[in-house]
Amino acid sequence: MMALFHSEWERLWKRKIAWLFLISIPLIIALTAKYYIGHNASFPLGSPEHTTAENFPVMAMIEQLIVVFNVVALVLLTFSFTEEYRSGQLRLVMLRAYGSSQIFWAKWLAFASMMALFFVVYLVAAVVAGYVFFESSPQQTLFYYDHAVSSRYMIGYTLSYYGMAYASIVGTASVFIAIGVISRSSTAAIGLGMGFLLCSLGFPLIYDLFNRVTGFGWPAMLKYVSLTEIQFSGIAVMLSGSAAAREWHAGLWMVLILAGYVALFTAAARLIFTKSDRFI
Amino acid sequence: MKVLAIEHVTKKAGRRTLVSDMTFEIMQGDVCGFVGPNGAGKTTLIRMITGLVRPGEGTIRIEGFDVQRDRMKALGQVGAIVESPIFFPYMSGRDNLLNLAKLHAGIPKEKRAARVDEVLATVGLDGRGRDKVKTYSLGMKQRLGIAQALLGNPKLIILDEPANGLDPMGIRELRNLILKLNQAYGITFFVSSHLLDELQRICNRFVIIKEGRLVWQGTQEAWLEMAGTSSLEDHFVEMMTT
């Protein structure tokens, strides 16, 4: 199984998008820092939107998680699942006596490992850039917190934020894999994946509008069935531990939503991937 | 000794029967031609032999191992090109083989590069191994296909329409390569093709199918004797149209 994982990792790594994304992380971080330097002019120290050396890694993740990380995940998974299957390249692996279930998990693991590498490099680059581009502050004000936190607290918060961001990418990836195994072409997989992201982005807006117009007063927590909403504000709500978040068990709710996506879509994708005959 | 044994294999897709109660054997050292008109079920049977498609009924054994129950042991004895030789185009020919060599338990890590270079030399691609596959001609891809099939020292190589798209020079190179591998290494070949004249030059046995059913199997001598002519092609056309 390790040999299969190494083989999958190597093929994923040899794709231009993988190493191009890795080497462009410092550039993405620098451009994000430049944006927040301008942003700081409008938000004074003490505002959660004011960027400091300590909170820059989190701000940089908030800025790029939904668009950059989701799209990179979608493209990598489309190459790994859809293109290899539909072009017949997967035959080369299947002829080597591995079962389709083993191949599925090796692909999943190779993707998850590569995204973990991207997250670690992104975090390291963001920490360095934070101290290069922003002033340090002994106290940080965070989104949805009713009190300031220390820089030491910020270290744990940053690691938790990246951990949850990674979990959210695993969640979106499970949907992309399911899309990838049913799509008849890479273009269709990318198109459907982008469609899912757009629907996910649009759902909270429509939900809020619907709630306002009808006056039904449905709970705000329901809008977090959208994965991109979890990425946009959910992680910060979950980690805040504020009274409002505690009241509706925000952390548990969003973890359950993520686990639900992963379990449902991974199981469906694996079933489709392993049960069908390979007329490839 | 039996290398490949097909026993009462049937495959249906919906109501359509693709392969029906197929039974035949291939012995060690055979170069067996697998012939039949388009849509006869050749590629479906090859997909079942290589584990890509599950038989609806019957069993397929390679060196005595059931492909469905003992997949690792059965397919560990096989190298194959199914339909066209497709590779990972963003990698060089050598990198493709190195990547696939990782999947052969029988090739230790320290011997992978040497084995890859050896098979590249066997198929005459040692000079182009470091070029990207997307720059290869079809003939070179066919040879690389045979190189990947050779990686795990297989006892049986299955080639599905290997001469498709090749020019006469390419076909001659392929023929010489098959004969060399058969005679020098004792590798058994199962070759599906429409080019009967070409098969006549390399095959000692034939399996003929039509509409998913076995029509005839036997040695080339027996077929020639039955046909009463030196051209198998003429007799094949007659068999398929009557």
Side-chain angles (χ1 to χ4, degrees):
Chain A
M1 189 64 186
M2 276 310 283
L4 191 54
F5 165 73
H6 283 145
S7 168
E8 290 293 340
W9 168 277
E10 185 181 73
R11 293 205 305 280
L12 211 50
W13 181 244
K14 294 218 165 173
R15 297 281 188 172
K16 270 188 196 137
I17 185 175
W19 52 264
L20 272 179
F21 178 61
L22 192 72
I23 61 174
S24 65
I25 283 175
L27 181 68
I28 293 168
I29 291 285
L31 290 172
T32 309
K34 192 177 170 220
Y35 166 76
Y36 278 118
I37 288 167
H39 203 68
N40 271 357
S42 316
F43 296 94
L45 187 65
S47 158
E49 293 197 47
H50 184 89
T51 309
T52 64
E54 287 77 12
N55 75 5
F56 177 68
V58 169
M59 299 297 262
M61 179 49 75
I62 291 171
E63 195 60 31
Q64 306 299 349
L65 179 60
I66 293 178
V67 177
V68 175
F69 280 91
N70 279 337
V71 170
V72 167
L74 173 61
V75 175
L76 283 177
L77 289 168
T78 300
F79 282 147
S80 181
F81 282 87
T82 317
E83 193 187 287
E84 285 201 0
Y85 178 34
R86 298 296 170 185
S87 70
Q89 291 164 359
L90 200 62
R91 274 201 305 255
L92 289 168
V93 181
M94 296 202 75
L95 292 171
R96 259 86 204 163
Y98 287 95
S100 44
S101 183
Q102 289 172 300
I103 295 171
F104 179 87
W105 290 118
K107 283 184 177 298
W108 193 94
L109 202 60
F111 164 80
S113 308
M114 191 158 288
M115 286 310 290
L117 171 72
F118 292 159
F119 268 73
V120 169
V121 172
Y122 194 86
L123 174 61
V124 171
V127 167
V128 172
Y131 284 97
V132 170
F133 293 109
F134 299 94
E135 287 189 12
S136 184
S137 169
Q139 294 237 303
Q140 318 297 322
T141 310
L142 297 170
F143 290 104
Y144 307 106
Y145 268 62
D146 46 15
H147 60 280
V149 301
S150 67
S151 296
R152 191 188 168 116
Y153 181 91
M154 198 62 209
I155 296 170
Y157 181 86
T158 303
L159 291 174
S160 302
Y161 200 99
Y162 272 67
M164 283 314 300
Y166 180 76
S168 77
I169 284 292
V170 171
T172 52
S174 62
V175 178
F176 296 152
I177 292 170
I179 287 172
V181 299
I182 59 165
S183 297
R184 296 204 173 270
S185 70
S186 299
T187 313
I190 299 271
L192 286 170
M194 294 303 282
F196 168 76
L197 284 179
L198 288 174
C199 288
S200 221
L201 283 166
F203 174 75
L205 302 173
I206 293 166
Y207 181 80
D208 283 343
L209 184 69
F210 179 79
N211 236 358
R212 247 197 335 269
V213 171
T214 60
F216 282 173
W218 285 354
M221 64 192 279
L222 280 183
K223 71 178 177 184
Y224 289 108
V225 295
S226 156
L227 285 176
T228 51
E229 189 62 14
I230 291 177
Q231 293 177 329
F232 178 65
S233 65
I235 299 171
V237 169
M238 189 185 320
L239 295 179
S240 71
S242 66
R246 274 202 307 272
E247 195 180 315
W248 54 274
H249 305 290
L252 180 64
W253 170 247
M254 282 182 247
V255 167
L256 283 175
I257 292 285
L258 283 175
Y261 269 99
V262 173
L264 182 70
F265 285 94
T266 306
R270 188 191 163 279
L271 194 70
I272 296 164
F273 193 82
T274 54
K275 284 294 175 196
S276 55
D277 282 334
R278 302 281 138 184
F279 285 98
I280 53 173
Chain B
M1 187 188 168
K2 278 186 246 177
V3 173
L4 173 66
I6 310 287
E7 296 161 2
H8 304 290
V9 169
T10 295
K11 180 70 186 176
K12 292 180 180 174
R15 288 182 179 181
R16 205 168 141 238
T17 302
L18 304 175
V19 173
S20 176
D21 197 25
M22 190 86 72
T23 298
F24 65 87
E25 291 168 354
I26 298 176
M27 311 304 280
Q28 169 91 47
D30 278 349
V31 178
C32 180
F34 186 38
V35 292
N38 285 337
K42 298 192 296 295
T43 301
T44 302
L45 185 66
I46 285 175
R47 284 189 172 122
M48 287 192 276
I49 296 170
T50 50
L52 296 171
V53 170
R54 298 173 182 90
E57 291 168 34
T59 53
I60 297 170
R61 294 178 203 281
I62 298 169
E63 288 272 311
F65 298 111
D66 187 324
V67 171
Q68 291 305 308
R69 290 183 184 168
D70 249 330
R71 187 185 174 92
M72 282 292 243
K73 285 180 183 164
L75 295 183
Q77 321 280 331
V78 180
I81 304 178
V82 182
E83 285 198 296
S84 47
I86 290 169
F87 289 93
F88 308 109
Y90 48 90
M91 288 158 71
S92 70
R94 191 171 185 275
D95 282 347
N96 264 275
L97 298 187
L98 281 169
N99 184 265
L100 296 171
K102 286 188 170 81
L103 306 177
H104 287 276
I107 310 175
K109 193 178 175 184
E110 63 279 8
K111 290 186 178 167
R112 268 183 215 145
R115 179 64 187 151
V116 165
D117 292 336
E118 188 184 342
V119 295
L120 278 172
T122 304
V123 299
L125 276 178
D126 37 344
R128 293 289 306 271
R130 291 181 193 275
D131 295 342
K132 290 259 166 60
V133 169
K134 61 186 171 192
T135 67
Y136 283 17
S137 67
L138 186 59
M140 289 167 70
K141 283 183 190 164
Q142 287 286 11
R143 281 190 277 156
L144 189 64
I146 293 180
Q148 65 81 21
L150 283 171
L151 269 176
N153 283 314
K155 295 191 173 155
L156 169 67
I157 290 185
I158 298 167
L159 304 175
D160 186 14
E161 304 286 356
N164 262 4
L166 293 185
D167 59 21
M169 294 288 285
I171 291 174
R172 178 182 290 187
E173 279 178 19
L174 183 67
R175 180 203 312 148
N176 291 339
L177 184 59
I178 291 171
L179 290 173
K180 179 175 110 180
L181 293 169
N182 176 253
Q183 285 154 16
Y185 303 104
I187 296 173
T188 306
F189 279 86
F190 185 57
V191 187
S192 123
S193 178
H194 288 115
L195 303 176
L196 265 169
D197 286 342
E198 198 51 45
L199 288 181
Q200 197 173 347
R201 292 177 188 223
I202 58 171
C203 296
N204 64 318
R205 289 185 65 82
F206 284 91
V207 169
I208 305 171
I209 68 167
K210 181 185 175 185
E211 293 169 358
R213 290 177 183 279
L214 182 73
V215 174
W216 187 85
Q217 63 164 321
T219 62
Q220 181 171 160
E221 291 76 26
W223 190 3
L224 285 168
E225 195 178 324
M226 180 175 71
T229 162
S230 60
S231 169
L232 294 180
E233 193 174 283
D234 291 342
H235 189 247
F236 173 73
V237 171
E238 195 184 315
M239 282 169 89
M240 293 300 120
T241 50
T242 53

